[in-house]
Amino acid sequence: MQDPNEDTEWNDALRRFGILPAKEEPVDETEELVLRLQKEQEVKPFENMTLDELKEAEEDFDEEDERAIETHRCQRLAEWKAKQRNVGFGELTEISGDQYVMEVTEAGEHVWVVLHLYRPGIPMCTLLNHLLSLLSQKFPETKFLKAIANSCIPNYPDRHLPTIFVYKNAQIHGNFIGEALCGGKNLKKEELEWMLASVGAVKTDLEENPRKATVDMMTSLIRNCCIQYPDCSDSDTSKSDNDGD
């Protein structure tokens, strides 16, 4: 069968009488792509603009463009927020008193900030800096900071150290002041994680307080001791009564 797109006098005659359809022109894919890109650029020149460029060009767009721009602006803002979340923090950062406002008060909307006030040479402060550094890597979405106490609060008493403040949106959501409330010298990373999770600073995957296992173990030991030596409590009571006589 003869190809209807073939260039022959017979086919040309058939096309003139409408017996064959007009010859299909070959498509230039490169030219088609260029034309499509040009069309998109004419319709949506704001697609490749930054937020600042969009603001400057607002007067040049009509009502339809304004709606499209607002949609595009929201998309760009969402992308920026997602990027910020993905970047995160991931380390325990040292700040000075004059950086407090920028790093804590102006940390950003919905950003959790954990600030450790410490003094070099206090063992519990050294332990907390180590544990907070580990947690900062596990929870990069939370901002972990440390600062020498007197640089933030002049004449801050050593008896209150270490001190941990937890902030969100410039408001204090939790505080742990002093060695005992900070968990004590035997504090473990999981226990500190649980403490911070209890005030919302981190989203832990721990299902229960790690310290509960220690308490349960001590309670079990005491109970077993009483079972093995049932008269121990009575003997102590009897001795106390005799001493009283």
Side-chain angles (χ1 to χ4, degrees):
M1 181 176 180
Q2 191 172 9
D3 183 1
N5 289 320
E6 187 179 357
D7 289 324
T8 64
E9 293 182 2
W10 176 249
N11 283 347
D12 289 341
L14 294 178
R15 290 191 192 99
R16 285 196 297 271
F17 289 100
I19 298 174
L20 286 180
K23 183 180 178 182
E24 296 180 359
E25 296 294 334
V27 177
D28 188 334
E29 295 182 358
T30 302
E31 182 179 355
E32 186 180 63
L33 177 61
V34 171
L35 291 174
R36 181 168 60 82
L37 291 176
Q38 288 177 343
K39 184 178 180 180
E40 289 180 355
Q41 188 67 18
E42 291 175 0
V43 176
K44 299 179 180 180
F46 52 81
E47 285 285 352
N48 296 320
M49 290 185 178
T50 64
L51 293 177
D52 291 336
E53 290 171 339
L54 283 173
K55 187 174 182 180
E56 293 177 0
E58 280 181 343
E59 296 180 358
D60 299 329
F61 296 115
D62 57 25
E63 185 176 344
E64 183 177 350
D65 288 331
E66 288 289 343
R67 289 194 298 270
I69 289 171
E70 185 59 30
T71 300
H72 181 63
R73 193 198 309 274
C74 291
Q75 291 174 345
R76 281 293 178 91
L77 188 58
E79 290 172 0
W80 179 82
K81 289 182 177 180
K83 184 178 179 181
Q84 290 297 106
R85 287 195 297 270
N86 291 333
V87 170
F89 303 100
E91 63 181 0
L92 178 62
T93 303
E94 179 92 31
I95 66 169
S96 58
D98 57 2
Q99 294 175 300
Y100 174 88
V101 172
M102 179 180 66
E103 297 291 345
V104 178
T105 307
E106 299 175 355
E109 188 179 6
H110 306 311
V111 174
W112 285 95
V113 180
V114 175
L115 173 63
H116 174 212
L117 298 184
Y118 76 101
R119 184 173 69 78
I122 297 180
M124 184 64 193
C125 291
T126 302
L127 173 62
L128 269 180
N129 278 337
H130 172 65
L131 297 179
L132 288 170
S133 179
L134 296 176
L135 290 178
S136 70
Q137 298 171 36
K138 182 175 181 180
F139 302 101
E141 67 278 4
T142 297
K143 192 174 190 178
F144 286 85
L145 305 173
K146 63 178 179 178
I148 296 177
N150 288 336
S151 73
C152 290
I153 307 174
N155 302 316
Y156 193 73
D158 282 357
R159 67 178 181 275
H160 293 333
L161 297 177
T163 293
I164 296 177
F165 290 123
V166 178
Y167 299 86
K168 182 183 179 184
N169 297 332
Q171 300 294 321
I172 292 181
H173 286 255
N175 60 77
F176 306 92
I177 300 175
E179 183 176 303
L181 291 181
C182 284
K185 294 180 180 179
N186 295 319
L187 181 68
K188 302 294 188 296
K189 178 172 70 74
E190 291 75 15
E191 295 169 352
L192 180 56
E193 178 180 332
W194 186 266
M195 288 167 51
L196 296 177
S198 70
V199 294
V202 299
K203 294 181 179 180
T204 182
D205 53 4
L206 298 173
E207 296 182 356
E208 64 176 14
N209 187 350
R211 183 157 287 188
K212 179 178 180 296
T214 303
V215 174
D216 290 346
M217 182 180 68
M218 294 301 296
T219 303
S220 177
L221 288 173
I222 294 172
R223 184 181 299 113
N224 290 337
C225 178
C226 291
I227 292 174
Q228 293 177 17
Y229 305 99
D231 296 332
C232 62
S233 59
D234 294 338
S235 298
D236 292 340
T237 304
S238 175
K239 182 179 178 181
S240 177
D241 292 341
N242 292 334
D243 292 341
D245 294 339

